[in-house]
Amino acid sequence: MKIALKPRQGYFKSVYNQVSVLLKKNAITTLRGANSPLLRIGASFGFILIIFLVDIALQADMADSELFQNVFDPEVRSLNAIPDCSEDLYLKNSDKKPCYNLLYAPQSNPYVKEVVESVIVSSGSRPGRFLGMETAAEMDAWLDANKERAQATVFLDVEMVGGKPTGIDYDLQTNSSVRYFKNEFQSPNFFSQVPVQVAIERESTKMLARYKYGSSSSQADISWSVGVNSFAHPPMVIESRIPEFAAPFLYAVGMFNFVATLTALVTERQTGQRQGMRNVGMLESSFWISWYLWEVVTNFMSSTFIVLFGMMFQFRIFLKNNYGLTFFLFFLFQMAMSGFAFIFFAFMRKPQSAVSIGFFVYFLGYIMTSVILSGWPYDGKYEEGLNYVFYMILSIFPWNLLAKGLQDFGDATATKESPGIRWNERSSYCVTDKFSDVTFTPGVYTKPNCSMPLDEIYSWLAVEMFILLLIAIYLDHIVPNEHNNYKPFYYFLDPHYWFPKKYNGEEHFGQIVSDKQASDASPGAGERNEDVRREEDVLADKLRRIVSGQETTETEDERTAMAVFGIKKTYASPFSPCGTKFEAVKGVWLSVGEGQIFCLLGPNGAGKTTLINCLTGTLKPTCGDSLMFGYSVKYELDKIRTFLGVCPQFDTLWETLTGREHLEIFATLKGMSKAEAKLEAEQKLEMVQLSKDADKPVSQYSGGMRRRVSVAISLIHDPSVIFLDEPTTGLDPVTRRHMWTVIQEAAKGRVIVLTTHSMEEADILGNRIAILSKGELHCIGSSVRLKSNFGSGYKLLVQLSKERIMREPTHAEDVISKLNALVGYQPIDQSNDTLTYSLSHFDADAARGILEKVEKAKAELGLQGLQLNLSSLEEVFLNVARGQTGAVVVGGSTGVLEAEG
Ligand SMILES: Nc1ncnc2c1ncn2[C@@H]1O[C@H](COP(=O)(O)OP(=O)(O)OP(=O)(O)O)[C@@H](O)[C@H]1O
Ligand SMILES: [Mg+2]
């Protein structure tokens, strides 16, 4: 018989409610957390400020150059001298071999020789800096073998008429490498080519004149001097270089959100908060929608701030381009980056790694964007050959699209006169035609040789932000989570994923029944404790009846409101050789009746938490299943979660949320309306005596107060089954006793499973107690039953009169022998005036009989007092933990007295 489930909200209503409360949680944790929005706004502001300062510095640097100054009367530059290559301005000459001002050919021609010698003399150079050769080919070969060692070469072809030189053809070659030296680009034209040219022409003309007019003194007749200068000019406008270097900084602003999102998500997973919310019925869709919307909100804010700060600092790219265009570029870029954060989340376990991942992604992006800024592959030729492949691959990465977008914005506002890009031009400004083929319209920005316009960038980013989210959700399902739960990679193809299979007791439990039969037949099965075996048999019987389709009675349903059928949990250890497996829970069968508190005891590492996690659906058991009020944990977990309350062993609370906010959030996730959740939070806070501190953030709570919040969360919305994993750890004795009352109150009509290391607690609270050790149940039953089975039974303390012992030294011996005669026992301990008798393995009636006999003889024997004690649960625990089932140890001392009769 299944209990009726509480009426549930419709799917869309619960998603709506859950998403709103999760968004509220994100907003509060962000507002109050270390990752405050101030930091985000600060990052936008800080990076824009850096860009501003770098721009100012670059402009100041450029202002030194003559180009940017007002030149009214340019100086004439004399060009007479050929510069000496040793100045090392135009030649690298790094290997320090001799360098040459000029190579010339053909050296065997006497007229050529004459010209070159005059050049050397007139330019005041050293003759060693001029190298003669025979042919042009020889010079080329020399240049090829001696890179950067000659400034220029000249080949002179002397025309001869009647044995006299009448004209000269010459070829001049110069080293055209432009060198950047002391903030200036040294133009080879000015600095080497023109001087060489002028010298050669001057000396050739002189030589020809000499032969033509037959005068050797005619040199002085021709004067030849050349000077060059530029026009007078106004200063060149200093252009902002922002588009060239801003991309990496603006990209860095986006990375802040990436790291913040990744950290928050992984922290929620690592602390168990996500699992905690799942346990109360948080839907996966609510989880993802809430995070996605949260990203929309934060990215909207941060993109707005980037654009606003950019305008504030008067950046042309923000002022002249359409506001919507710049905003969308940042917003969509950041949304796509959030998609990447979701994908990384699927693989990450530790929030600390988020920063390292952030650095890695930033570095990767930095390198890629430098390529994009060089103009490839988003150019007019993008469709040719391999270009297209790179075009597609590089567009997958949002930072590349950001860089391209910023580059276009920068180009469109390169000068004061540039018009910028308007909203309706977001696609048309970018044309694939070459510059020469484009007709430019004044006042409209057109970019030739361009592909990937803004419009296309937005489409890529928008598609990416959805696809990356879908991939992230898929990965979240198939990558093993912190509890090693995952679905097969083809899970979405399985029709049962979309339309869950109706759970069929017969089919489902048949395997468990046959496994049980096999394990009963195995050697060693008979060594199990009698009560444990009986429990197993009763439950196996119930299973068999379910399998054969028989109805269960109402009393049985009540007795086994929760029934655990052979739960096994094996952890595969990734560190042990050959993937050794560790069985943490080895086939546990137990039942808890309605209204009962079931205490699970056991030493550290016994498997209590593992068992509870299997029962709450946090862990998937390796074998077995359990029924809670008729619902199977394996197949109907979502239904069970509507009546489940879980207090995990370790508090999974948000440091920045208050106790009240925690309770309200969990109540809403469980399906309560806003008003109901408020009331429920108030009640539960009062129940655990936290009303006074309800509005303090959890970070200011003591360990015990946190524990009480966790217990209160587990009691929200009247759950029918409550699991409390060490609920009272860290509570002071007064609060602990109060908590016992709370738990006892809560037990009415419900099932409570509780683990504890306090024997007193188990003794007081537990209707039934089981001791788990090394994954196996060693005993199960009421406290009294365990004590009589595993404790030393009853202890009779007989108090003698101190005075009589003083008066009669043999008094104690007398009493011992008389009592031996009366009840047939010897004391196990004798200290001063107290004799201790251990009445082991007697039931309560027999013990009482003995007590009565001794009571009657009290006066006669001169006894001062009598006390009958039951052995403690602690003793039972120690016995079981030491593996001494059935044997009796008293205080770990002396011997054991067996009854004689
Ligand atoms: N994720 C895991 N992977 C591998 N082994 C695990 C894992 N979790 C628990 N174990 C092992 O399973 C055993 C049972 O652990 P469990 O946490 O259930 O013990 P417990 O009874 O709750 O102990 P405690 O009283 O200390 O809380 C331990 O030996 C533990 O080392
Ligand atoms: Mg535990």
Side-chain angles (χ1 to χ4, degrees):
M1 265 290 289
K2 296 183 175 189
I3 54 160
L5 297 176
K6 292 185 200 110
R8 270 200 282 181
Q9 293 169 333
Y11 178 78
F12 291 107
K13 180 109 201 279
S14 29
V15 170
Y16 175 80
N17 285 342
Q18 293 191 346
V19 166
S20 18
V21 78
L22 290 173
L23 277 176
K24 182 177 157 193
K25 171 215 75 184
N26 281 351
I28 300 175
T29 49
T30 308
L31 281 169
R32 293 190 200 140
N35 166 33
S36 78
L38 268 183
L39 191 73
R40 298 283 305 283
I41 298 169
S44 308
F45 184 80
F47 280 101
I48 294 281
L49 183 67
I50 292 174
I51 296 173
F52 180 71
L53 295 177
V54 172
D55 196 43
I56 288 180
L58 283 176
Q59 289 187 12
D61 182 33
M62 289 195 294
D64 283 347
S65 158
E66 209 176 69
L67 269 181
F68 299 98
Q69 291 161 3
N70 214 338
V71 180
F72 297 108
D73 184 16
E75 244 174 75
V76 176
R77 236 179 264 225
S78 166
L79 281 176
N80 279 341
I82 298 178
D84 210 338
C85 72
S86 66
E87 281 167 13
D88 194 22
L89 271 191
Y90 307 102
L91 303 179
K92 278 201 199 112
N93 195 23
S94 45
D95 45 6
K96 298 286 170 221
K97 284 186 185 157
C99 69
Y100 296 96
N101 293 353
L102 184 67
L103 306 188
Y104 64 95
Q107 63 170 341
S108 60
N109 185 317
Y111 304 107
V112 171
K113 221 169 152 80
E114 210 181 311
V115 170
V116 172
E117 273 165 10
S118 319
V119 167
I120 295 171
V121 173
S122 67
S123 61
S125 303
R126 278 184 277 164
R129 292 288 159 90
F130 288 72
L131 186 61
M133 297 195 180
E134 212 46 58
T135 60
E138 203 182 326
M139 286 195 294
D140 285 345
W142 188 95
L143 286 176
D144 202 34
N146 299 278
K147 299 230 157 50
E148 300 268 7
R149 283 181 56 201
Q151 275 181 177
T153 70
V154 62
F155 184 88
L156 295 134
D157 186 6
V158 186
E159 284 168 25
M160 302 293 287
V161 174
K164 277 186 177 180
T166 55
I168 285 183
D169 277 355
Y170 72 99
D171 288 342
L172 180 69
Q173 283 180 290
T174 44
N175 185 339
S176 62
S177 309
V178 177
R179 303 286 301 277
Y180 187 68
F181 188 75
K182 294 196 176 161
N183 281 342
E184 243 175 305
F185 289 101
Q186 309 278 5
S187 151
N189 287 4
F190 260 7
F191 286 86
S192 62
Q193 183 187 322
V194 179
V196 171
Q197 190 180 334
V198 167
I200 296 277
E201 278 180 9
R202 187 182 59 223
E203 300 311 322
S204 298
T205 309
K206 284 178 180 173
M207 187 271 286
L208 291 173
R210 209 158 48 233
Y211 283 99
K212 178 154 184 168
Y213 302 112
S215 161
S216 60
S217 60
S218 62
Q219 280 183 36
D221 299 345
I222 301 173
S223 98
W224 194 305
S225 120
V226 179
V228 290
N229 61 20
S230 59
F231 287 153
H233 62 80
M236 201 167 139
V237 178
I238 299 180
E239 284 307 330
S240 158
R241 314 249 311 260
I242 287 172
E244 287 170 33
F245 66 85
F249 291 102
L250 296 172
Y251 171 34
V253 181
M255 289 310 291
F256 262 79
N257 194 39
F258 175 86
V259 172
T261 304
L262 199 52
T263 310
L265 274 166
V266 181
T267 307
E268 265 192 8
R269 190 220 300 274
Q270 193 204 28
T271 52
Q273 289 155 348
R274 186 179 180 195
Q275 186 59 45
M277 294 191 291
R278 277 190 184 131
N279 284 346
V280 295
M282 176 188 68
L283 299 162
E284 290 297 297
S285 25
S286 308
F287 175 83
W288 284 108
I289 293 173
S290 71
W291 271 106
Y292 200 69
L293 288 180
W294 178 244
E295 290 305 299
V296 170
V297 172
T298 52
N299 290 334
F300 184 91
M301 274 176 29
S302 112
S303 308
T304 307
F305 281 120
I306 291 179
V307 177
L308 287 184
F309 287 136
M311 288 175 153
M312 215 172 87
F313 280 93
Q314 298 289 303
F315 290 173
R316 265 208 305 274
I317 67 168
F318 293 107
L319 290 175
K320 285 198 146 186
N321 291 303
N322 176 276
Y323 170 85
L325 291 179
T326 44
F327 168 81
F328 265 118
L329 181 67
F330 290 113
F331 175 71
L332 294 173
F333 161 71
Q334 299 211 69
M335 283 307 294
M337 287 308 289
S338 302
F340 267 98
F342 291 150
I343 288 191
F344 277 105
F345 161 66
F347 299 98
M348 279 174 57
R349 298 287 165 271
K350 292 200 188 91
Q352 297 88 324
S353 336
V355 175
S356 327
I357 300 236
F359 267 116
F360 169 76
V361 170
Y362 183 75
F363 188 63
L364 185 78
Y366 188 84
I367 294 173
M368 283 194 184
T369 48
S370 335
V371 175
I372 300 300
L373 291 174
S374 76
W376 176 87
Y378 301 128
D379 56 21
K381 289 183 292 197
Y382 76 103
E383 274 179 317
E384 284 174 16
L386 258 188
N387 270 4
Y388 193 65
V389 176
F390 282 107
Y391 177 91
M392 297 304 280
I393 293 177
L394 290 175
S395 305
I396 295 173
F397 302 97
W399 43 80
N400 294 337
L401 298 171
L402 174 76
K404 168 67 168 72
L406 284 174
Q407 196 181 33
D408 287 2
F409 284 137
D411 290 349
T413 53
T415 65
K416 275 210 176 78
E417 292 72 37
S418 307
I421 304 174
R422 279 170 284 239
W423 177 258
N424 54 2
E425 293 159 8
R426 62 194 183 279
S427 173
S428 58
Y429 76 91
C430 180
V431 293
T432 47
D433 300 352
K434 283 205 266 323
F435 189 87
S436 52
D437 300 335
V438 177
T439 39
F440 292 93
T441 321
V444 176
Y445 174 65
T446 308
K447 183 172 182 159
N449 192 28
C450 163
S451 61
M452 187 63 79
L454 288 166
D455 220 13
E456 217 170 295
I457 292 179
Y458 300 149
S459 316
W460 270 89
L461 290 173
V463 169
E464 249 169 53
M465 69 188 221
F466 285 109
I467 290 190
L468 290 175
L469 175 73
L470 291 183
I471 296 177
I473 295 175
Y474 172 68
L475 288 174
D476 188 47
H477 278 88
I478 66 160
V479 176
N481 72 2
E482 67 281 17
H483 297 296
N484 216 27
N485 292 340
Y486 59 92
K487 293 200 168 71
F489 68 90
Y490 51 83
Y491 74 90
F492 58 95
L493 298 175
D494 183 358
H496 294 314
Y497 174 73
W498 302 103
F499 309 101
K501 213 165 112 181
K502 243 190 147 19
Y503 132 81
N504 170 342
E506 190 177 329
E507 193 181 305
H508 172 42
F509 292 121
Q511 183 63 39
I512 303 178
V513 172
S514 54
D515 283 351
K516 166 88 171 103
Q517 272 160 355
S519 83
D520 281 349
S522 68
E527 288 165 22
R528 290 200 304 279
N529 169 269
E530 188 190 329
D531 294 338
V532 173
R533 228 169 35 214
R534 192 174 318 118
E535 180 91 359
E536 283 181 18
D537 290 341
V538 168
L539 287 168
D541 202 42
K542 179 180 166 95
L543 262 195
R544 272 186 217 102
R545 272 181 289 126
I546 294 176
V547 171
S548 61
Q550 290 175 31
E551 284 288 314
T552 46
T553 62
E554 209 165 292
T555 42
E556 189 189 329
D557 283 339
E558 236 168 67
R559 210 157 43 79
T560 56
M562 181 179 109
V564 178
F565 305 120
I567 293 263
K568 268 190 199 159
K569 179 68 198 178
T570 308
Y571 289 116
S573 160
F575 301 112
S576 60
C578 315
T580 327
K581 293 191 169 168
F582 171 71
E583 259 196 328
V585 176
K586 303 173 181 164
V588 168
W589 297 73
L590 58 88
S591 62
V592 186
E594 203 174 313
Q596 282 194 346
I597 299 177
F598 186 92
C599 282
L600 198 56
L601 305 181
N604 292 133
K608 303 179 295 293
T609 300
T610 305
L611 178 61
I612 288 192
N613 283 344
C614 288
L615 298 178
T616 56
T618 303
L619 280 176
K620 266 199 190 120
T622 316
C623 302
D625 193 3
S626 50
L627 285 182
M628 297 196 190
F629 289 100
Y631 294 95
S632 149
V633 172
K634 192 167 171 182
Y635 289 92
E636 296 167 303
L637 189 58
D638 52 336
K639 290 187 182 131
I640 288 181
R641 280 181 172 158
T642 61
F643 60 82
L644 192 66
V646 183
C647 164
Q649 178 170 0
F650 302 105
D651 303 313
T652 56
L653 308 173
W654 286 267
E655 292 289 318
T656 44
L657 296 185
T658 65
R660 188 191 307 280
E661 283 159 353
H662 271 96
L663 289 167
E664 286 178 6
I665 288 171
F666 277 93
T668 315
L669 287 177
K670 275 206 149 182
M672 296 178 107
S673 71
K674 217 169 166 188
E676 287 170 336
K678 254 193 155 52
L679 202 69
E680 179 78 355
E682 194 61 57
Q683 278 177 359
K684 292 296 175 284
L685 283 165
E686 203 171 318
M687 202 180 230
V688 296
Q689 298 181 325
L690 269 182
S691 304
K692 205 161 57 74
D693 299 306
D695 296 313
K696 276 192 202 163
V698 164
S699 57
Q700 291 174 21
Y701 280 12
S702 70
M705 288 156 87
R706 286 164 192 246
R707 212 75 270 265
R708 280 184 275 159
V709 176
S710 294
V711 172
I713 290 174
S714 74
L715 298 176
I716 279 179
H717 200 29
D718 185 28
S720 304
V721 180
I722 305 171
F723 290 95
L724 304 168
D725 200 351
E726 304 190 22
T728 57
T729 304
L731 300 191
D732 67 74
V734 179
T735 318
R736 174 182 299 220
R737 274 170 176 73
H738 170 74
M739 197 59 85
W740 289 347
T741 336
V742 171
I743 295 172
Q744 270 169 334
E745 286 281 308
K748 284 170 196 149
R750 300 196 174 110
V751 164
I752 293 188
V753 177
L754 175 142
T755 76
T756 177
H757 288 294
S758 153
M759 298 304 136
E760 190 191 4
E761 182 168 308
D763 215 349
I764 291 171
L765 290 182
N767 300 94
R768 289 176 86 217
I769 299 169
I771 299 182
L772 190 72
S773 173
K774 295 187 183 141
E776 279 178 293
L777 280 192
H778 284 268
C779 54
I780 189 164
S782 65
S783 164
V784 176
R785 172 108 189 139
L786 298 192
K787 284 174 187 165
S788 66
N789 275 6
F790 296 92
S792 51
Y794 291 90
K795 257 184 260 174
L796 181 66
L797 303 181
V798 177
Q799 204 170 13
L800 307 179
S801 145
K802 269 191 191 137
E803 280 172 29
R804 288 245 345 231
I805 294 173
M806 300 277 271
R807 269 189 278 123
E808 305 167 31
T810 57
H811 176 63
E813 267 93 75
D814 282 351
V815 175
I816 289 171
S817 63
K818 279 179 185 159
L819 275 179
N820 192 11
L822 187 68
V823 296
Y825 275 96
Q826 284 285 2
I828 56 162
D829 190 33
Q830 177 183 357
S831 64
N832 300 330
D833 56 346
T834 310
L835 304 174
T836 307
Y837 288 86
S838 174
L839 315 180
S840 65
H841 299 290
F842 267 77
D843 60 26
D845 291 342
R848 219 171 291 122
I850 291 171
L851 184 65
E852 271 167 22
K853 277 189 193 170
V854 182
E855 185 80 53
K856 275 185 194 147
K858 194 174 164 188
E860 186 192 330
L861 295 171
L863 305 179
Q864 288 269 301
L866 282 177
Q867 206 181 342
L868 185 67
N869 286 345
L870 193 59
S871 61
S872 70
L873 199 56
E874 184 148 339
E875 199 182 299
V876 174
F877 183 87
L878 290 172
N879 283 337
V880 173
R882 286 179 193 143
Q884 289 157 315
T885 44
V888 178
V889 177
V890 179
S893 69
T894 52
V896 179
L897 267 192
E898 285 297 330
E900 287 173 1

